[in-house]
Amino acid sequence: MALKIVKGSIDRMFDKNLQDLVRGIRNHKEDEAKYISTCIDEIKQELKQDNIAVKANAVCKLTYLQMLGYDVSWAAFNIVEVMSSSKFTYKRIGYLAASQCFHESTDVIMLTTNQIRKDLSSPNQYDTGVALTGLSCFVTPDLARDLANDIMTLMSHTKPYIRKKAVLIMYKVFLKYPESLRPAFPRLKEKLEDPDPGVQSAAVNVICELARRNPKNYLSLAPLFFKLMTSSTNNWVLIKIIKLFGALTPLEPRLCHSTSQMSFLFFLSPWLSPSSLSTSNSTSAMSLLYECVNTVIAVRVFVVVVKYLGLLAMSKILKTHPKSVQSHKDLILQCLDDKDESIRLRALDLLYGMVSKKNLMEIVKKLMLHVDKAEGTTYRDELLTKIIDICSQSNYQYITNFEWYISILVELTRLEGTRHGHLIASQMLDVAIRVKAIREFAVAQMATLLDNAHLLTGNTQRNGICEVLYAAAWICGEFSEHLENPMQTLEAMLRPKVATLPGHIQAVYVQNAAKLFATVLRSQEGNTDRTAAQETSQLMIDRLPLFVQSANLEVQERASCILQLVKYIQKLQQKDVEVAEEVNALFAGELNPVAPKAQKKVPVPEGLDLDAWINEPPSESESEDEKPRTMFTREETKHSRPRHTEVDEKELAKRREVRKQEQASNPFYIKSSPSSQKEAPGVDHIPVVQIDLSVPLKVPGLPMSDQYVKLEEERRQKDRADKKKKEKKKRKEKGGRRGKRDSGPESEEDITPAHMVDIVTEEMPPTAICRSVSLVPPLNSPPCVPSTCQKSSKHKKKKQKKEKEEKDKKKKKKHHHHRHHSDGAGEESVQNGTVEEEEEPLPTISDAPTCSLASPPPFRQVCDIQGNLQDGSQVVVSLIFENKCDSFLKAMEFNVLDSLNSRLQRPDGAGPHDGLTVPFQLPPGVSNEARFVFTVKSIVMPQKLKGTLAFIVKNEDSSTHEKLDFKLHFTCTSYLITTPCYSDAFAKLLESGDLKASSVKLEGVVMPFPHLLARICFHHHFSVVERIDSCASMYSRSIQGHHVCLLVKTADQTVSIDAKCDEPSLLSNVLDEIKLTFSQC
Amino acid sequence: MHFLLLFSRQGRLRLQKWFTPTPEREKKKIIRDMTAMVLARKPKTCNFLHWMDLKVVYKRYASLFFCLAIDDQENELLALEILHRYVELLDKYFGNVCELDIIFNFEKAYFILDEFLIGGEVQETSKQTVARCIERLSSLRNSCRRLRL
């Protein structure tokens, strides 16, 4: 038996342990799967052995493999075996494996019940603890039912360590087996007042979680929690309690005030100083909240995180107190510049709620800039939808100038790869239909779009945007009377390229080409020359067959119908018949918006029974898939278009008159305002930008919307000026009765919109036909090309240049500094630190000046650590990288895990964990030096910094990313700087009595005394002050100004060093290092 | 808390802890999603993400990403604090912890985690107490370890 044990343990010497496995996997990067499959075979062998230690080892390795994604469910039974080991070490591994690998459907869990119960009642608290921990991960309803009682008992265990765990596990048990809650609750409640704070917080945790699910039952605990809240100082517990109150407040309004106040405080408490906590306690909750958000955004301590949370909080405040958030518009706009998408999206959400008539243009302008800059289509699409949402919210409430909006929409069509073409399209349609005054402008814009359609459709990936052409075609057709050059547009719509567009767009093209044709005919027939009209018909006849062949049914149908019509028209034309009037009658009548639910309001005429069948239904009901009603405008383009072909002008006028009368007497109609009389001249005043058609869209694009911003400002200014004039008058009239009026920023009401939208809502009368459009024409004609934009861009460039220059300067400065520094150090002896290799299991500490890094060396790294003379807290590490392999090394990233004491200095703006890029690449065999500056707080202790050097090894055919872990050893010696000292100054120093003494004896040093001194000077940066025979005094200074004095004596192979320094720990460390140097030689 | 993942910058998983039982397949999918999502984030972006109905709080420590998924109602800052606390504990135990420590001693990393969190709840808020427990447990381990594991 004993022999067996011995044999087993000897066998195990040759087994792989976890570390071997991990290392093996790391060394078999190319054939990892193969390596692991052999490992699994080994593990299977190990699991067959009787020795529990071997099994535990095997299970431990399996757990690792499980994490790498390998299936280990086959070993479930072995895991149970290891769990039931009597030794804690193995038991723990077993439970760990179980908690990682078991889930509710693992059948062996059934077998574990008794084992777990045994462990729970074990006299060893750690056995119990491990069982509880494991149980928390794989508790099933069955286990919960069977073990609920045992765990409940453990809640009163003598050891807080167990009580705490038991309380927390109880929550899991409640979830799996809710019946256990009732009997366990009294005990749980008791634990709220447990003497151990850990148990207490565990109980708070559990009750808080329970209360979140069912707050009603826990209302009675509120006073108890209130007491806890005021007495506890543990933030973690406080946060839980606040959360609990958050769940309770909806049920008990009295809790609300205090909770909101406290929660926000605690929410911010890590970033607020304690003083601000106490002062704001007395103020009301709301102002505090507001104050906190202010602080969050203004303080910028923990910038990104707090920014995000601040924005989140703001969006909540916005719902109740929009005014207070609006004043932070600039800050929120700034957040749009953030690199972080999460933050930008939050800011966008906020902006949606903050727009007003006053700031809409500004905000959208800013957003448009972002659209141009934005990378990644998802964010850009999000921006696009947000822009449209913002503008169109509550029936375009905030838009004062629709020309501006149309140009924004046109600009948006330039977006590549957006999915929201249909959104833009529907907006265009909506605006063009509802804002009469804008039609002329819109049509001009749309004509340009159609003309440049190839830009939109050129790329198949940009499919989404061609939806815009749908709107453009429809608008041009429908409002063709506003077209400046309808012929050109007609040609654009009949280009062969159109056939590549999606079917439904083609259909609209065809239909609207017909409308255009009608318009063109009318204008051409007015001329004396008839040939032009005939040519137009010929154009239609030439081009339409392309559409007749279309695979799309609707296109085909419309095209063939219109083709025949045109052919007929041509026949008539050849007989010199005037057809224009009749053709136009095809499309006569004006389209008006109707509220979506207007139909409901039409009373059913007497004698009409809507439920009666007109015809008996056919035996088989035809299933007609109804198209979802997207929006009414689109619907209308297809079907319901009232055509009054037979109604002559007289009749129409009569009807109109009757209707007006009717409306005048109907209080629900919006009366046509007197200003509508001026409509016609008003339209003339609309500034229509001259569009240079030879240049693609971009030119009319960008500057346009900007121009409106400017225009708007001018308009407002004028408005204000007018008002002021009036006011002045008033004031004159009223004399000195009124004091000074603040001439602050204009209020919301002051802004008069340039155009009005037809607001079609349910409140509108069912047949809303006549709408009042009050048009306030822009007061100034627009400048042809706004110069603001160009100016600003120029300015930007300049700025960038300047910045660059500044940067360059900085760089130079740095260089200079370095050079200066190295010059200074060059006179002194070379100062060394060590670099230590970590690829091999046992890092060897060597004080040799150079040390190569990786064992299969692609690389040699030589390190030299020296203190910075100018700055007592800086250490410069020069690293010489030498490429010893045959591959090209590049993209080297040097990173060191900062410790509390020392930090790698990273460039401004870099995060604390970012690596530094080594500013060169290494061809084979080349070496180069890089310097890294570290900030060191305390220099009295040596320290090791772990770091990694990541780099890319580039071969001819492949490249791999490699990583090298290393340790930087900052010895205390490296903080010393060789400083010459005169013997009298040295003596004075020793006499001063400020220095603490220490000494060390080195045995068996066989080297001549001068060599010994040279060695100390070289390795430890000392200088000899005086030497008398076999006795010498030496001196050095640390970068922080500590004096280190040595008295070195030698007598037959024994060297005694008496030392003095004003920092004892520094001294002892230096002496240790000296000792180490000599022990190695 | 739903799960805690540690993975390297290359997306290699270093540690996973599931506080709610999750089927193996789903775990794999989640891990894939998480690594892809978190690694795609640029440096110096904020530490929060929304994923499905969970909030994902992540933080990078040296070459390791610590990634914790919490409920919608839980406190993100607290989650960050938990991650940080865990790193502190690891640091205390390993002394200047680095990724390799966790790779080679992954079971210890788990044991430390188990003393700090249990079933997705914070078990012990006092750093000292946790450290003491871990210390005691590892001494217990050493005393009964006769041969190398």
Side-chain angles (χ1 to χ4, degrees), chain A residues 1044-1059:
Chain A
V1044 187
C1045 309
L1046 299 183
L1047 185 64
V1048 186
K1049 290 180 214 155
T1050 180
D1052 50 329
Q1053 298 203 356
T1054 310
V1055 181
S1056 73
I1057 301 174
D1058 292 307

Side-chain angles (χ1 to χ4, degrees), chain A residues 19 22 67 69 89 92 100 126 161 164-165 172 212 234 271 340 897 909 913 946 963 965, chain B residues 14 16 19 41 44 46 60 62 73 77 97 100-101 104 110 115 123-125 136-137 141 144:
Chain A
Q19 272 74 26
V22 174
M67 184 171 69
T89 319
R92 178 146 86 156
Q100 291 302 109
Y126 296 109
Y161 176 74
K164 174 170 78 185
K165 284 188 191 238
K172 291 263 159 184
R212 255 170 51 189
N234 185 338
W271 293 278
D340 190 344
L897 196 67
H913 309 295
K946 290 181 190 180
K963 235 168 82 180
D965 291 298
Chain B
R14 296 301 181 208
Q16 51 169 342
F19 299 116
R41 305 271 296 170
K44 284 202 296 161
C46 86
R60 183 177 160 180
Q73 295 156 333
L77 290 177
V97 67
L100 285 172
D101 286 324
F104 283 105
Y110 276 120
E115 290 307 315
Q123 181 188 162
E124 179 55 66
T125 55
R136 225 178 297 153
L137 282 175
R141 230 176 76 90
C144 69

Side-chain angles (χ1 to χ4, degrees), chain B residues 26-141:
Chain B
E26 203 173 318
K27 279 187 192 175
K28 278 187 185 159
K29 186 190 173 299
I30 292 176
I31 292 167
R32 215 175 32 240
D33 282 6
M34 283 298 130
T35 45
M37 233 166 58
V38 170
L39 292 177
R41 305 271 296 170
K42 297 205 181 87
K44 284 202 296 161
T45 50
C46 86
N47 307 48
F48 312 128
L49 287 170
H50 278 266
W51 181 80
M52 314 280 269
D53 52 344
L54 298 181
K55 286 193 282 200
V56 177
V57 175
Y58 72 91
K59 185 153 189 192
R60 183 177 160 180
Y61 287 93
S63 53
L64 268 187
F65 283 93
F66 287 66
C67 171
L68 184 65
I70 53 174
D71 257 340
D72 200 35
Q73 295 156 333
E74 280 180 86
N75 190 328
E76 296 96 332
L77 290 177
L78 201 63
L80 263 188
E81 191 62 35
I82 287 170
L83 289 182
H84 189 73
R85 181 58 60 87
Y86 181 46
V87 174
E88 281 178 332
L89 289 170
L90 287 173
D91 203 51
K92 198 160 186 175
Y93 183 81
F94 290 109
N96 253 335
V97 67
C98 70
E99 191 183 344
L100 285 172
D101 286 324
I102 293 172
I103 296 172
F104 283 105
N105 301 295
F106 88 112
E107 85 283 17
K108 286 178 194 137
Y110 276 120
F111 296 149
I112 294 170
L113 185 63
D114 285 339
E115 290 307 315
F116 176 45
L117 302 176
I118 192 166
E121 297 294 334
V122 177
Q123 181 188 162
E124 179 55 66
T125 55
S126 152
K127 228 188 307 186
Q128 283 79 17
T129 315
V130 180
R132 224 180 301 137
C133 278
I134 295 164
E135 206 55 45
R136 225 178 297 153
L137 282 175
S138 56
S139 65
L140 199 68
R141 230 176 76 90

Side-chain angles (χ1 to χ4, degrees), chain A residues 340-350 379 382 386:
Chain A
D340 190 344
E341 195 171 308
S342 300
I343 288 181
R344 290 194 305 240
L345 290 179
R346 284 274 156 248
L348 273 183
D349 279 349
L350 263 181
Y379 176 61
E382 184 66 26
K386 267 281 141 43

